[in-house]
Amino acid sequence: MEDLPVPVMSDILSRLPVKTIIQCKCVCKKWLDLVSDSYFANLQLSRSPASLMIHHSSEINERAGILKWVELENKVNHHNLQHDPAMSLDLNLAPIFQDAQILVVGSVNGYGGIEHGFGVCSRTREYKVIRIFQGTTSTSRIREAEVYTLGMGKWRSLGHVPYTIGGFFGLFFNGHVHWSVFGKDSPEKLFAFDLDNETFKLFPSPPVETIQGSHHFLSLAVLKGCLCQSDTFESQFTLWVMREYGIKESWHREVMIKEGVSPALDWLMWEPVCLIERLNDGTILMVYYEDKLLACSFEKGTIANSDFFDPCFTGIAYRPSFLKLRNFKSERCKGLCKEL
């Protein structure tokens, strides 16, 4: 192994499980330097297996909660969840998170963001956090936005936001952070923040469906490289897939389930669900009302409850990465966390 060219060694090591790669760093200095190199980090990220990041806060006093990395065995005819207790991070033990409420909103290249929206610029590769303040006064409605570029040490005002957002966080995909639009006046029901240009714009949404007298819950996700939207009503569940990004006509209604047609799937309409990941066998993982992690197969008409976690948790798709934020001073990153 020692006599192999560095590119060959990188190719071999990048195919190993993440925990094995971590152990390889302790073998010798040569392997430590190899795994720490940006070339290896990007190669491994391109092959990084699908996994989940779970934020769990079931205890009353656990405001910050616990982050749990869950490995996902994802094969065409089989899938399984594996959680090593050693791969958990108790945020309550970190002074920086004490007395803080944490909302994990997304993962980009193995990094996680807190509060409203997080993504990476397509051109500059800068990582940015966006937060939007919404409120009302006696005379007007207030919607203001700020952006934080990691490494800059301060928030910058973006001014007025022209739309009222629905939901607590935005979904990052293709250089934009996406939210749903709340209200009846907008011609589109989605809007996006361009991370490069730092501008908001309406984004093509699926055909609007309404069911009289029924509550509506919308969830956005990236499943197998496509922007997707689920619509949950009290008597209907719909899954939309945008086959060509940014093209309104490319929205395709992949699934529509009406109450009573497939009784095993009826509980998709009882409470809100958040899409997480589509597996190789077509099964979709989703969080059901911060209470259950579901594995749903629309083809088979079945739903399996993993019973993997206690109530009160959220989950996101996650790809483990060895990329490092070397250019950002620790005190600047601490400043970001303190302000969130």
Side-chain angles (χ1 to χ4, degrees), residues 323-334:
L323 294 174
K324 297 181 179 180
L325 299 178
R326 291 179 175 175
N327 296 328
F328 308 141
K329 295 182 179 180
S330 60
E331 63 269 22
R332 289 181 176 177
C333 290
K334 290 180 181 178

Side-chain angles (χ1 to χ4, degrees), residues 20-94:
T20 303
I21 295 176
I22 295 174
Q23 295 169 349
C24 288
K25 296 172 65 176
C26 302
V27 172
C28 62
K29 186 176 185 303
K30 183 176 181 178
W31 283 19
L32 173 61
D33 293 340
L34 186 150
V35 172
S36 302
D37 186 76
S38 60
Y39 170 79
F40 175 85
N42 285 290
L43 181 62
Q44 185 276 334
L45 180 61
S46 69
R47 296 168 173 167
S48 187
S51 60
L52 306 179
M53 185 63 71
I54 300 295
H55 179 233
H56 179 69
S57 57
S58 61
E59 299 295 333
I60 296 177
N61 295 327
E62 285 190 336
R63 291 176 62 84
I66 299 174
L67 286 179
K68 299 178 179 180
W69 174 42
V70 181
E71 294 181 276
L72 177 59
E73 186 180 5
N74 184 12
K75 298 182 179 179
V76 174
N77 56 358
H78 173 75
H79 61 265
N80 185 43
L81 298 176
Q82 300 176 350
H83 172 57
D84 184 346
M87 304 306 289
S88 295
L89 178 62
D90 190 343
L91 301 177
N92 302 287
L93 300 179

Side-chain angles (χ1 to χ4, degrees), residues 9 13-15 20 22 37 54 86 127 136 149 179 229 231 237 243 247 256 268 279 294 305 316:
M9 291 179 61
L13 293 178
S14 68
R15 299 175 186 273
T20 303
I22 295 174
D37 186 76
I54 300 295
Y127 292 87
T136 56
T149 302
W179 285 270
Q229 175 181 308
D231 293 314
F237 175 86
R243 292 174 169 174
I247 305 301
M256 186 176 72
L268 286 178
L279 307 183
L294 305 180
N305 178 13
I316 60 172

Side-chain angles (χ1 to χ4, degrees), residues 248-309:
K248 187 175 181 65
E249 292 74 21
S250 72
W251 279 110
H252 167 69
R253 186 165 58 190
E254 184 174 291
V255 174
M256 186 176 72
I257 302 172
K258 291 186 177 293
E259 187 178 23
V261 176
S262 296
L265 301 178
D266 276 357
W267 66 335
L268 286 178
M269 305 158 214
W270 298 342
E271 298 289 354
V273 298
C274 291
L275 307 176
I276 299 181
E277 184 72 84
R278 186 194 294 268
L279 307 183
N280 291 336
D281 64 356
T283 299
I284 295 180
L285 295 180
M286 56 183 73
V287 173
Y288 178 82
Y289 198 54
E290 297 187 357
D291 183 59
K292 298 177 177 64
L293 183 64
L294 305 180
C296 182
S297 173
F298 295 109
E299 182 179 341
K300 299 176 182 178
T302 60
I303 291 181
N305 178 13
S306 68
D307 290 324
F308 207 70
F309 302 104

Side-chain angles (χ1 to χ4, degrees), residues 147-176:
V147 63
Y148 188 106
T149 302
L150 269 66
M152 296 294 103
K154 64 179 181 180
W155 290 92
R156 291 181 290 108
S157 175
L158 298 174
H160 176 69
V161 178
Y163 316 107
T164 302
I165 67 170
F168 296 102
F169 60 88
L171 173 75
F172 172 74
F173 183 55
N174 204 33
H176 295 74

